[in-house]
Amino acid sequence: MAYSPKKLALLLALATAMAASVAAQNSPQDFVDPHNAARDDVGVGPVSWDDTVAAYAQSYAEQRRGDCQLVHSGGQYGENIFWGSAGADWSAADAVNSWVSEKQFYDHGSNTCAEDEVCGHYTQVVWRDSTAVGCARVVCDNNGGVFIVCSYNPPGNFEGQSPY
């Protein structure tokens, strides 16, 4: 089937817009904004995007591309990791919102999580001393889903210390 130059240009523009839409859902600002909304909610100063921290996150995400395992890097930064199954276009907001959703299990008064619940991803998001964040997203090989990682500098989640 032959397309006219005008129709080809329209198809190219549509494809470009669709690609930009997906990329826009995973831009640095798409990671920073939900972090800062959660931090503002508890009176903690904002984080900003750091290209060095983001390069670390990207390097680690690339290492996980082959297996998509939820394994922490063990590096010098604080870290939150997320995996979403194949078939959905998991975004920056999906990952950060999943971490922030743990707020319901965190008791600031006692600095503890509810029994049998997890809240450490949330406390890293709102850790007052973390001021820089860098994140990365990769689509895993063999239809393995999506792996998203955010790294934090300085790291948080120190035993016995309150995040804010």
Side-chain angles (χ1 to χ4, degrees):
M1 172 184 259
Y3 291 106
S4 69
K6 191 173 190 177
K7 192 169 226 171
L8 280 173
L10 180 61
L11 288 171
L12 180 60
L14 180 59
T16 302
M18 288 173 64
S21 172
V22 170
Q25 294 175 355
N26 300 298
S27 72
Q29 208 59 47
D30 291 319
F31 283 102
V32 169
D33 288 347
H35 274 87
N36 285 338
R39 294 170 69 85
D40 186 57
D41 194 41
V42 294
V44 177
V47 291
S48 58
W49 188 262
D50 183 295
D51 288 334
T52 301
V53 178
Y56 177 86
Q58 186 66 48
S59 174
Y60 186 64
E62 292 298 338
Q63 292 176 46
R64 294 273 63 97
R65 182 186 297 273
D67 61 19
C68 220
Q69 289 186 15
L70 286 175
V71 176
H72 285 282
S73 69
Q76 73 267 33
Y77 299 117
E79 186 171 83
N80 278 336
I81 54 179
F82 171 91
W83 173 79
S85 62
D89 189 24
W90 300 99
S91 69
D94 293 321
V96 180
N97 290 338
S98 77
W99 302 326
V100 171
S101 74
E102 295 175 1
K103 179 180 183 179
Q104 64 186 315
F105 305 122
Y106 178 66
D107 180 347
H108 181 64
S110 64
N111 191 34
T112 60
C113 296
E115 189 174 339
D116 298 325
E117 298 294 347
V118 173
C119 64
H121 303 100
Y122 168 71
T123 55
Q124 176 59 81
V125 168
V126 298
W127 197 266
R128 72 178 161 280
D129 295 333
S130 295
T131 56
V133 67
C135 305
R137 175 189 181 277
V138 295
V139 176
C140 299
D141 295 341
N142 301 321
N143 205 26
V146 173
F147 181 88
I148 297 174
V149 57
C150 285
S151 300
Y152 302 85
N153 193 32
N157 282 345
F158 293 103
E159 186 86 26
Q161 292 185 24
S162 176
Y164 54 89

